[in-house]
Amino acid sequence: MKKLILVRHAKSDWPEETDDFDRPLADKGLEEAMNMSRFMKNNNISIDYLVSSPAVRALNTCKIFNQAYQLNIGTDEKLYNPSENNFHSVIYDLDDSHNSVAFFSHNNGISNFANSISNDIFHFPTCGVAGFEIDCNSWSEFDGAKKKLLFFYEPGKI
């Protein structure tokens, strides 16, 4: 069994003269990410590898989660402005030694991808987290594997 955890970046700011890629987290986003990462860690949600979009707001969300988890972080540009196929591509690049992986990415791509692998329909708020159990032993089996939603957490409801 593998676990895939999808995390939408926390609430961001958009200062004047700032490109989309370089948008920082807002104060509320910093708080959301700290609260969500602590909540997940305190509820024994295991993660053994983190992969983030390199965009500032996603990577900073990932780094805040890593304060709780203390893991290696990878970045993949395919998680910035992603299509569903981008997620599949990143999944197929994962090492099979990782059993529980968290992706930090953006809407609308992350919501579209989650809805494509689940019968549950949901829209990710900022710092929303969905966890899926993937019935496979290798990430290369992801496409044909049975997928089950384990949890969906929203920052305002934890």
Side-chain angles (χ1 to χ4, degrees), residues 83-147:
S83 69
E84 290 170 35
N85 288 340
N86 290 52
F87 285 95
H88 286 271
S89 177
V90 177
I91 288 166
Y92 292 130
D93 287 343
L94 291 172
D95 189 293
D96 284 332
S97 66
H98 302 304
N99 290 312
S100 182
V101 178
F103 286 176
F104 293 78
S105 191
H106 309 263
N107 251 353
N108 291 323
I110 199 166
S111 289
N112 292 343
F113 175 68
N115 288 321
S116 78
I117 63 171
S118 172
N119 292 327
D120 301 273
I121 302 297
F122 46 84
H123 181 78
F124 278 75
T126 52
C127 213
V129 180
F132 297 90
E133 183 177 77
I134 315 301
D135 189 6
C136 64
N137 294 314
S138 169
W139 291 107
S140 66
E141 301 166 346
F142 179 85
D143 239 6
K146 185 176 177 204
K147 298 153 190 83

Side-chain angles (χ1 to χ4, degrees), residues 49-52 59 62-64 66 71-75:
Y49 188 55
L50 307 170
V51 184
S52 179
L59 188 55
C62 180
K63 288 176 178 177
I64 290 169
N66 203 34
L71 301 167
N72 289 326
I73 296 175
T75 60

Side-chain angles (χ1 to χ4, degrees), residues 5 31 69 79:
I5 298 166
E31 187 179 324
Y69 282 92
L79 293 177

